[in-house]
């Protein structure tokens, strides 16, 4: 049981990066009270702490108790940080927000009540994400905990689904293809445009329409272009215009599209 002096809506944010920033703002809007922010550096902790108007520190032992502790740190640091959280906040519900890390990392760290709150979205500090548009996946150590986390996710807004740690790994992998690799393609396009004196912004309507089409069609149905048509003359011309690195990417993706018509 939580101590009587701890508000049931209090949340401690462990981490002050891209996800934690948007999540902290969304928690406040949903009626939760940020008890404090911790980050490895005072500069990072203070930036988010001041934004949320709450205490901050890079010394976890100086933080107040809270009903819920949310860990949003890089995957490689999660296990070590979770051990400190379990030791210092034994009565708190502890959540992590990682896509590829099992919920079991919190159990082995010594947490008593634990789970996962995974908002599947791309985040940055310069633009807070509206959580009413975010799909969040949850997992709890037991049914009661899962229900609590599910309620928190619903209060944040957007769609909410249950997902096991194994399923969440594939969610994260799929998100890398859909988001990170797509953005890498934008960077390649920008490189080509800049090299030949063309503005990247000219591609923005095309990018927006391509993304919007998959709200109405399956990705396979929405696919267009020379590889989809099997136009080998155009593909050969394109390949001849590229350096070795981009040519390799172009040929690999074209082959994939031709094989999955």
């Amino acid at each position: 049981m939580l101590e009587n002096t701890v508000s049931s809506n209090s949340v401690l944010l462990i981490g002050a990066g891209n996800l934690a920033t948007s999540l902290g703002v969304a928690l406040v809007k949903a009626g939760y009270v940020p008890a404090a922010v911790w980050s490895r550096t005072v500069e990072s902790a203070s930036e988010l702490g001041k934004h949320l108007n709450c205490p901050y520190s890079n010394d976890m032992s100086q933080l107040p108790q809270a009903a819920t502790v949310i860990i949003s740190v890089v995957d490689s640091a999660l296990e070590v940080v979770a051990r400190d959280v379990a030791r210092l906040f034994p009565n708190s519900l502890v959540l992590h927000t990682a896509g590829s890390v099992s919920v079991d990392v919190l159990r082995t760290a010594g947490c008593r009540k634990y789970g996962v709150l995974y908002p599947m979205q791309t985040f940055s500090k310069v633009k807070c994400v509206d959580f009413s548009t975010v799909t969040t996946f949850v997992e709890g150590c037991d049914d009661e905990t899962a229900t609590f986390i599910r309620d928190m996710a619903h209060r944040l807004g957007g769609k909410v689904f249950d997902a096991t740690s194994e399923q969440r790994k594939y969610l994260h992998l799929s998100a890398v293809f859909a988001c990170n690799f797509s953005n890498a393609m934008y960077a390649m396009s920008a490189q080509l445009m800049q090299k030949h004196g063309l503005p990247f912004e000219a591609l923005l309507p095309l990018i927006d329409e391509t993304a919007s089409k998959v709200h109405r069609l399956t990705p396979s149905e929405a696919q267009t272009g020379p590889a989809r048509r099997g136009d080998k003359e155009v593909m050969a011309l394109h390949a001849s215009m590229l350096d070795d690195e981009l040519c390799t990417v172009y040929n690999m993706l074209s082959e994939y599209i031709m094989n999955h018509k």
Side-chain angles (χ1 to χ4, degrees):
M1 295 292 292
L2 296 174
E3 296 177 3
N4 293 332
T5 56
V6 177
S7 167
S8 61
N9 276 348
S10 60
V11 178
L12 197 60
L13 292 172
I14 303 298
N18 294 339
L19 191 161
T21 298
S22 282
L23 180 57
V25 171
L27 286 165
V28 170
K29 288 182 178 179
Y32 290 93
V33 179
V37 172
W38 174 91
S39 185
R40 183 177 55 83
T41 67
V42 172
E43 293 77 13
S44 182
S46 66
E47 182 181 2
L48 183 53
K50 291 175 181 177
H51 187 55
L52 300 179
N53 194 29
C54 69
Y56 57 87
S57 179
N58 67 337
D59 183 351
M60 205 179 295
S61 67
Q62 299 301 309
L63 301 179
Q65 296 295 312
T68 304
V69 179
I70 301 179
I71 305 174
S72 297
V73 298
V74 295
D75 292 0
S76 59
L78 184 49
E79 184 176 359
V80 172
V81 171
R83 285 200 296 266
D84 289 336
V85 168
R87 175 174 55 84
L88 294 168
F89 309 99
N91 297 315
S92 299
L93 167 63
V94 181
L95 308 178
H96 79 62
T97 60
S100 295
V101 181
S102 171
V103 70
D104 290 337
V105 70
L106 300 177
R107 175 182 57 80
T108 56
C111 300
R112 299 175 186 175
K113 292 183 66 177
Y114 55 90
V116 176
L117 182 77
Y118 172 52
M120 193 171 68
Q121 184 55 278
T122 178
F123 295 95
S124 63
K125 286 187 178 182
V126 296
K127 181 181 181 295
C128 283
V129 171
D130 178 3
F131 264 70
S132 68
T133 67
V134 175
T135 301
T136 302
F137 295 87
V138 302
E139 183 178 11
C141 61
D142 53 44
D143 291 342
E144 180 183 1
T145 303
T147 298
F148 182 90
I149 303 169
R150 202 177 297 120
D151 178 67
M152 173 179 278
H154 278 298
R155 287 177 62 178
L156 290 173
K159 295 181 179 179
V160 179
F161 296 98
D162 292 342
T164 65
S165 292
E166 184 67 15
Q167 289 174 318
R168 200 171 60 258
K169 286 193 296 185
Y170 284 96
L171 280 169
H172 192 243
L173 175 59
S174 299
V176 168
F177 275 93
C179 174
N180 304 136
F181 290 170
S182 294
N183 194 74
M185 298 296 170
Y186 301 156
M188 294 176 200
S189 298
Q191 175 186 331
L192 283 170
M193 296 287 276
Q194 183 180 21
K195 183 177 180 181
H196 297 282
L198 296 165
F200 176 72
E201 66 184 42
L203 294 176
L204 295 180
L206 175 65
I207 291 170
D208 292 341
E209 176 60 20
T210 302
S212 70
K213 282 203 300 186
V214 295
H215 287 267
R216 310 184 300 272
L217 305 170
T218 67
S220 180
E221 292 170 336
Q223 187 69 61
T224 60
R228 179 67 177 82
R229 298 190 301 270
D231 193 334
K232 295 186 178 180
E233 288 186 11
V234 170
M235 287 188 287
L237 173 63
H238 286 173
S240 70
M241 297 164 62
L242 298 169
D243 61 30
D244 289 345
E245 182 180 43
L246 291 187
C247 185
T248 298
V249 175
Y250 183 94
N251 288 335
M252 180 181 65
L253 291 174
S254 295
E255 183 177 359
Y256 177 88
I257 292 170
M258 288 189 294
N259 292 337
H260 293 83
K261 292 181 180 179

